[in-house]
Amino acid sequence: MKSSPIGVFDSGYGGLTVLKELVKSLPEYDFLYLGDNARTPYGTRSFDVVYNYTLEAVKYLFKQGCPLVIIACNTASAKALRNIQMLDLPNIAPQNRVLGVIRPSVEKVAEITQNGQVGILGTVGTVASQSYPIEFEKWSGGRVKSTVQEACPMWVPLVENNEMENEGAEYFIRKNIDAIFKKDPALDTLILGCTHYPLLLKIIQKHVPQGVHILTQGAIVAEKLKDYLQRHPEMEERLTKGGNIVYETTESAETFESKAALFMGTDVSAKNVHF
Ligand code: DGL
């Protein structure tokens, strides 16, 4: 039988932080992970470029048999998701679905914050799009009262280039965290609004004041997807359940394999693809 996996897409390795949690909470499903490592990072690219790259990836994943695609990237969720859902999906695959990571995160933050003062760390693109403040306004039920944002342009390159654990990484991480707490010293919840950032979590925790909630998105997206599948049996029935995970990258398969294996904690065999 042809498989119909859940597609998980990111510009590079960051989406693995989401995939790992998806597999943990939905182990019976098949997954196809696609990293556009050849064109990462997306965070500093224009709206049109991110939209076109993301649309290409979504179409490719549909062609591979994925009826449901999770855009495990905030930048692409911020700049491309709405257009894809409203303009493209009805024409290219009306029965398929594409979901992002911002809305589930916003709903979770609204449940957690006590004083309504929230900080968002993200890429230049995510911050400039204002997606988080706009979505908090719409979906937090008034629980989020003020937001401050800080773009961290060096963080994704640190992850993509395997520089996560050294002193240089710590310098840039501390710099951005100090900057966001200067904007609002009383914020009680900090959202890591980029799926690459959990890979820097240990150093981030060192520099965030105690008592502040640091939210990573993997578990949040997994919880919301589980709920989505329960509410949408017509989609759930289309997904195949063999517990297989396929990894594809637009860059070198060998490099992807060694890095992804470290992160996923299992052997990873990846395929190089073009679209
Ligand atoms: N993981 C992507 C995100 O969540 C990173 C983006 C990038 O490629 O700059 O925003």
Side-chain angles (χ1 to χ4, degrees):
M1 189 176 95
K2 208 178 159 330
S3 86
S4 299
I6 299 173
V8 180
F9 169 67
D10 181 49
S11 62
Y13 298 111
L16 293 172
T17 63
V18 175
L19 178 71
K20 194 171 181 176
E21 296 297 329
L22 291 176
V23 172
K24 217 193 266 174
S25 71
L26 299 162
E28 66 276 31
Y29 292 88
D30 295 324
F31 290 92
L32 169 51
Y33 184 87
L34 174 64
D36 192 6
N37 298 78
R39 302 192 289 194
T40 197
Y42 280 14
T44 42
R45 297 190 192 275
S46 68
F47 183 95
D48 281 350
V49 169
V50 173
Y51 168 53
N52 286 327
Y53 285 1
T54 307
L55 182 59
E56 280 175 12
V58 166
K59 283 182 176 166
Y60 172 81
L61 287 167
F62 285 171
K63 233 194 249 161
Q64 305 314 303
C66 302
L68 174 65
V69 172
I70 309 295
I71 308 230
C73 173
N74 289 263
T75 311
S77 296
K79 294 189 167 194
L81 181 63
R82 201 176 150 74
N83 271 2
I84 291 176
Q85 286 174 332
M86 311 276 291
L87 305 175
D88 300 300
L89 210 51
N91 297 320
I92 57 177
Q95 309 299 325
N96 290 358
R97 289 292 170 265
V98 183
L99 304 174
V101 289
I102 295 181
R103 169 93 179 263
S105 310
V106 160
E107 290 172 356
K108 194 67 179 182
V109 170
E111 286 167 26
I112 282 178
T113 182
Q114 292 297 313
N115 69 4
Q117 290 170 252
V118 173
I120 301 122
L121 298 168
T123 64
V124 173
T126 298
V127 167
S129 75
Q130 295 294 333
S131 292
Y132 273 96
I134 292 168
E135 298 284 305
F136 278 127
E137 190 71 34
K138 277 202 239 160
W139 304 111
S140 84
R143 302 249 321 129
V144 173
K145 299 193 170 50
S146 73
T147 51
V148 286
Q149 304 192 87
E150 177 72 11
C152 312
M154 295 302 290
W155 292 18
V156 169
L158 289 170
V159 172
E160 290 288 321
N161 293 293
N162 229 344
E163 295 284 347
M164 287 112 80
E165 307 270 317
N166 68 20
E167 288 166 31
E170 182 141 11
Y171 169 82
F172 287 109
I173 290 167
R174 195 179 55 216
K175 184 174 168 199
N176 291 123
I177 288 177
D178 288 352
I180 199 164
F181 279 96
K182 218 173 253 166
K183 289 175 185 165
D184 182 357
L187 55 88
D188 77 348
T189 307
L190 192 58
I191 175 107
L192 303 190
C194 172
T195 54
H196 281 66
Y197 296 175
L199 294 160
L200 302 166
L201 186 60
K202 261 196 246 146
I203 310 179
I204 295 172
Q205 280 166 334
K206 255 173 85 178
H207 297 286
V208 170
Q210 277 207 342
V212 174
H213 293 284
I214 305 174
L215 290 196
T216 56
Q217 299 176 300
I220 299 172
V221 175
E223 181 193 323
K224 300 283 177 187
L225 181 60
K226 209 169 185 176
D227 179 55
Y228 175 89
L229 293 177
Q230 271 161 14
R231 288 183 291 109
H232 293 275
E234 77 291 351
M235 173 56 73
E236 201 283 331
E237 280 156 16
R238 292 173 65 196
L239 301 168
T240 49
K241 286 125 198 137
N244 296 312
I245 313 173
V246 171
Y247 296 88
E248 297 188 341
T249 172
T250 53
E251 246 296 342
S252 144
E254 293 74 37
T255 310
F256 186 95
E257 282 169 356
S258 58
K259 199 144 176 197
L262 266 182
F263 182 68
M264 298 299 287
T266 55
D267 276 352
V268 166
S269 142
K271 196 170 123 196
N272 172 253
V273 295
H274 300 282
F275 48 81

